[in-house]
Amino acid sequence: MSQTAEAPALDPLRFGLIGSPNSGKTTLFNALTGLRAKVGNYPGVTVARREGKLDLAGRAGVVIDLPGTYSLDPLSPDEAVVCRVLAGEVEGVEAPEALIVVADACSLDRSLLLVGQVLAEERPTCLVLTMMDELAARGGRLDIDRLEAALGIPVLPVVGHRGVGLRELRSRLADPDAWSQPPVLPPRDIDERAAWMTSILDACVETRPDFHAMTERIDRVVVHPILGSLLFMAVMIGFFQLIFAWATPAMDWIDAGMGAAAAGVRQALPPGLWTDFLTDGLIAGVGSVVVFLPQIVLLFSLLYFLEDVGYMARAAFVVDRAMARIGLEGRAFVALLSSFACAVPGIMATRTVPSPRDRLVTILVAPLMTCSARLPVYALLIGAFVPATNVFGPIGLQGLVLFGLYLAAPLAAMTVAALLRRSLLPGEGMPFTLELPSYRLPSLGLWFSQVWGSAWAFLRRAGTIILLASMVLWILLTFPQTQPPPGLNAHEASAYALEQSAAGRIGKAIEPAIAPLGFDWKIGVGLLASLAAREVFVSTLAQVYASEDPDVSLRNAVRADIDPTTGEKLFSPPTVAALLVFFVFALQCTSTIATMARETNSWRWPAFAFGYMLALAYGASFLARIVTAAVI
Amino acid sequence: MKSDFNTPSEGALSLADLELGESAAVREVNTRDAIGRRLLDLGLLPGTAVRVIRRSPLGDPTVYEFRGYRLCLRRVDAARVRVGSEPVSGAPDTSAL
């Protein structure tokens, strides 16, 4: 290896960025590294791993954004990641050579505890004080030089989102070996450490900042016993309504765009298997990934906005006690609420829950929430089979059935969450702690990078699995190909092809298993195909019944279908009840499974969720069939 | 040296016993388990002045202010922090920073 003497190729300097949640760590990370962060997972835990490149004077650097932590005394495997990275115990992550502790200048006092623990690591350390602008606005004054002298390490004030102080920080980062080190380590004894902190504060604090006056005024309303509860409900209803209503036009637009693309390919290419693959396999598969983006972008735009402004912490504070009843905590509420629109963004939103077990329980019950993809299935079956009679006054039976289906899901979710807490996933002995940060205007850049990061992570990690799964389903529904008997019209030929396909054969093979629920092989094929997305059940039934459209003619076709062995109508009231209940509980959604696999960093938990929800669906369907048969 | 938390002595107050708006100084935290150690790491060291700011509309959790920030704790966790009804004499006033 030959190298020129002037420019020796040094390894990049590695920095660990340590700070508590709300310390401004993420803003500083983005300001230092731009949008060039590499995002991944640490093996065996669910916390995200972020690293970014850093240009220092004449030398490359890497910043490892360590998960936000209050302490280096970990209470969970997720929290232990910080210590394991520092010790170089994480495979594929070299231990950082120097440490940057990030602290909010307005609450330096409590951050000194973490500083003290980091100093005990005995490697080059500097302290970055963020939010210096807020400190000044609140009338606080710190003597940085005296703080440096008292701690014995470099202290660098910054205003992360405005880039103030970054140039000085970068130039100091270029040479960690020159950083001063404390002459003696902070004492280990609790009382002595409290005295150590007091002496440092006495040395450097000239004026303590006032409490953020606007935050106090806003909080008097926002967490007021009555006004606060009303505001909470209004925000959550608005939040849900926006995801539900605003995402729909964009999703319809994506559907139409994918349909137009498929139609264009069909026109340009001769009919045949290759064209079918491109249109029904590839384009439809890409569409099934992209269609989630409006909901994900919208949900995370709102979520991060409310989080950055400071409202999410208040919402969690207001609702925590209700969530505690089912063994969860306030921060899980939004994820569960979002899952009523779609479990995919809902599961992604559980990242705001700090306790890994709480988060896992939330992820496992989120798909029970009645997502919007169940609605077309409910609409078809209720429209076709539930009589449009009125029960009390203007309240119709169809509406009541739909309401019952919507209500069953959250009740089941609460029960399952409480059961999981008492069995498989008891609490891990972490106290519930929730910081109420000062209200502040969010930084547009940080907001954008958070939303973009979520959307990109979904596309790259879950999207590829969803695309692959929809291809596999296309293959199952298409092969083996058989020549249809002569004399069939196009719809009948397509129904024949489906019956002969692998999916048709699987449907027939599982018929004995689903017969107790009153389902035949045609419903079996529909259930199999609906794994791509629940609403595909409707279009698959349309294909099975060789219907010209999934509305009127499909409704008539399913109504008229006769079971060949019993001679009775196949879609009898008990069967319809069983089918509706099956869709309430079963995890018929590969996208949810893929997202779950990504967020839990394993296939074990999605497999568990699929299994328990299938068992629940089967049992509840069977019960629904018996009860309906007895009542009607 | 440390008293047994399972049998609190007569008149021993915990953070959870404080009324809204009341202030007190931390006496000690049961650090025998991880939860207590975490409460210390959050800043509830002996001598720290704590003020009760507000309770959730449903009665639990409660927001406490100490060491320049506001943190909410559930009743069950706050009960592990022993406080003196009067601030400990000579203890630093850490309520504002």
Side-chain angles (χ1 to χ4, degrees):
Chain A
M1 288 264 265
S2 70
Q3 281 174 357
T4 52
E6 302 86 54
L10 292 167
D11 285 335
L13 274 170
R14 299 178 58 81
F15 297 95
L17 199 59
I18 303 178
S20 64
N22 298 309
S23 61
K25 183 170 66 70
T26 307
T27 308
L28 182 68
F29 177 80
N30 287 348
L32 280 175
T33 64
L35 286 175
R36 295 173 294 171
K38 216 170 65 184
V39 182
N41 275 94
Y42 289 107
V45 293
T46 61
V47 287
R49 169 179 161 185
R50 301 208 310 153
E51 281 186 31
K53 288 204 178 95
L54 176 68
D55 295 323
L56 300 168
R59 189 160 177 193
V62 173
V63 182
I64 309 164
D65 184 16
L66 293 162
T69 182
Y70 289 108
S71 153
L72 293 187
D73 174 17
L75 301 189
S76 75
D78 278 25
E79 287 190 353
V81 163
V82 178
C83 300
R84 285 171 50 216
V85 169
L86 292 186
E89 287 168 4
V90 177
E91 209 179 310
V93 185
E94 261 181 79
E97 290 136 352
L99 305 176
I100 308 167
V101 186
V102 188
D104 176 353
C106 302
S107 59
L108 174 65
D109 188 342
R110 64 89 189 257
S111 305
L112 283 179
L113 276 159
L114 184 61
V115 174
Q117 290 180 340
V118 174
L119 289 179
E121 292 285 315
E122 297 190 71
R123 67 186 92 181
T125 302
C126 71
L127 172 64
V128 173
L129 290 178
T130 59
M131 306 189 210
M132 291 300 290
D133 53 339
E134 193 180 314
L135 179 75
R138 283 162 58 179
R141 279 170 55 127
L142 276 175
D143 188 325
I144 302 289
D145 292 338
R146 293 174 82 174
L147 179 58
E148 263 189 355
L151 281 172
I153 58 170
V155 178
L156 294 138
V158 300
V159 182
H161 61 276
R162 296 223 193 89
V164 177
L166 288 182
R167 185 201 290 242
E168 169 69 10
L169 175 59
R170 272 174 209 277
S171 77
R172 292 295 287 271
L173 290 182
D175 192 8
D177 292 332
W179 295 355
S180 52
Q181 305 223 2
V184 286
L185 291 180
R188 297 183 65 88
D189 176 81
I190 293 163
D191 294 304
E192 285 176 32
R193 186 160 285 194
W196 172 78
M197 287 169 60
T198 308
S199 72
I200 289 172
L201 292 169
D202 285 347
C204 71
V205 176
E206 293 174 351
T207 322
R208 296 172 187 280
D210 300 321
F211 195 79
H212 200 229
M214 193 176 62
T215 295
E216 180 56 42
R217 278 200 299 275
I218 297 175
D219 264 349
R220 263 179 226 156
V221 176
V222 165
V223 289
H224 182 273
I226 296 160
L227 292 177
S229 308
L230 291 176
L231 182 73
F232 172 78
M233 280 188 262
V235 170
M236 290 304 144
I237 290 169
F239 186 86
F240 180 62
Q241 178 64 23
L242 290 184
I243 303 167
F244 210 78
W246 283 11
T248 313
M251 290 163 79
D252 291 346
W253 184 79
I254 289 170
D255 271 344
M258 290 297 164
V265 171
R266 283 203 185 281
Q267 283 215 318
L269 294 178
L273 192 60
W274 173 239
T275 309
D276 285 348
F277 166 75
L278 283 182
T279 55
D280 299 338
L282 191 64
I283 294 178
V286 170
S288 65
V289 174
V290 178
V291 80
F292 286 106
L293 278 184
Q295 280 180 332
I296 288 173
V297 169
L298 208 58
L299 176 109
F300 281 100
S301 301
L302 287 166
L303 192 67
Y304 281 123
F305 177 78
L306 291 174
E307 174 86 37
D308 294 349
V309 163
Y311 183 72
M312 285 321 282
R314 272 78 182 179
F317 171 65
V318 168
V319 80
D320 179 67
R321 187 161 192 196
M323 296 297 288
R325 291 256 163 89
I326 57 169
L328 292 177
E329 60 132 303
R331 278 167 286 220
F333 183 84
V334 171
L336 292 183
L337 181 78
S338 310
S339 302
F340 271 101
C342 177
V344 169
I347 288 171
M348 290 170 70
T350 59
R351 282 177 209 167
T352 53
V353 179
S355 147
R357 290 231 179 117
D358 280 3
R359 185 169 174 224
L360 192 51
V361 173
T362 315
I363 288 175
L364 290 175
V365 301
L368 281 172
M369 297 299 177
T370 309
C371 69
S372 51
R374 283 169 169 105
L375 205 53
V377 181
Y378 293 168
L380 169 79
L381 293 173
I382 292 177
F385 299 107
V386 178
T389 50
N390 286 355
V391 186
F392 322 101
I395 299 170
L397 184 61
Q398 291 186 334
L400 274 185
V401 170
L402 188 63
F403 180 73
L405 295 175
Y406 262 82
L407 201 64
L411 289 179
M414 285 193 281
T415 314
V416 171
L419 285 176
L420 283 173
R421 265 281 175 245
R422 280 174 181 75
S423 56
L424 274 182
L425 297 163
E428 57 224 322
M430 282 177 90
F432 168 78
T433 56
L434 174 72
E435 201 177 325
L436 296 191
S438 302
Y439 291 102
R440 50 174 72 100
L441 282 177
S443 130
L444 212 63
L446 174 64
W447 186 48
F448 177 79
S449 79
Q450 286 168 322
V451 174
W452 164 253
S454 306
W456 178 240
F458 168 77
L459 282 182
R460 205 169 53 93
R461 307 286 300 280
T464 43
I465 306 173
I466 297 170
L467 185 61
L468 198 71
S470 61
M471 299 290 204
V472 169
L473 279 170
W474 178 79
I475 289 168
L476 287 179
L477 289 161
T478 311
F479 294 97
Q481 291 197 305
T482 40
Q483 191 61 43
L488 297 184
N489 70 27
H491 295 297
E492 289 162 349
S494 135
Y496 179 83
L498 181 57
E499 189 177 344
Q500 299 303 317
S501 72
R505 288 168 202 204
I506 294 172
K508 286 186 173 158
I510 63 170
E511 201 177 52
I514 55 179
L517 307 179
F519 302 168
D520 73 343
W521 72 270
K522 292 186 288 263
I523 297 177
V525 174
L527 291 180
L528 191 69
S530 72
L531 281 171
R534 289 180 180 88
E535 68 271 20
V536 172
F537 180 75
V538 176
S539 57
T540 309
L541 273 197
Q543 194 186 347
V544 175
Y545 282 101
S547 318
E548 282 142 34
D549 65 86
D551 283 330
V552 180
S553 64
L554 175 59
R555 196 176 286 188
N556 293 335
V558 288
R559 274 182 187 157
D561 196 15
I562 301 288
D563 187 329
T565 49
T566 61
E568 309 244 326
K569 283 211 168 142
L570 174 71
F571 282 84
S572 62
T575 304
V576 173
L579 194 53
L580 282 172
V581 168
F582 192 85
F583 269 96
V584 169
F585 296 116
L587 182 44
Q588 294 291 104
C589 181
T590 37
S591 308
T592 303
I593 295 171
T595 309
M596 219 181 248
R598 183 195 123 63
E599 294 295 324
T600 61
N601 208 7
S602 88
W603 285 99
R604 202 158 50 108
W605 291 111
F608 172 76
F610 186 79
Y612 98 76
M613 287 177 70
L614 187 64
L616 194 61
Y618 196 95
S621 292
F622 188 68
L623 213 65
R625 183 174 163 75
I626 291 173
V627 170
T628 315
V631 171
I632 294 180
Chain B
M1 188 184 82
K2 311 242 164 178
S3 66
D4 190 346
F5 277 80
N6 296 322
T7 55
S9 56
E10 193 74 28
L13 276 179
S14 84
L15 213 47
D17 300 321
L18 297 180
E19 299 291 325
L20 220 58
E22 221 178 330
S23 296
V26 175
R27 283 261 172 85
E28 57 179 326
V29 179
N30 180 349
T31 53
R32 252 175 280 159
D33 65 0
I35 292 181
R37 293 204 309 275
R38 174 55 48 92
L39 292 174
L40 270 185
D41 286 340
L42 286 162
L44 293 168
L45 294 166
T48 306
V50 185
R51 194 155 66 96
V52 185
I53 301 296
R54 53 176 52 90
R55 287 191 212 287
S56 168
L58 297 173
D60 195 33
T62 299
V63 184
Y64 298 96
E65 184 178 300
F66 54 95
R67 293 192 180 271
Y69 77 125
R70 290 183 171 188
L71 185 78
C72 37
L73 296 172
R74 287 183 180 165
R75 172 166 283 276
V76 55
D77 296 321
R80 296 163 161 269
V81 181
R82 279 263 311 271
V83 296
S85 51
E86 294 296 316
V88 176
S89 62
D93 172 21
T94 50
S95 59
L97 185 86

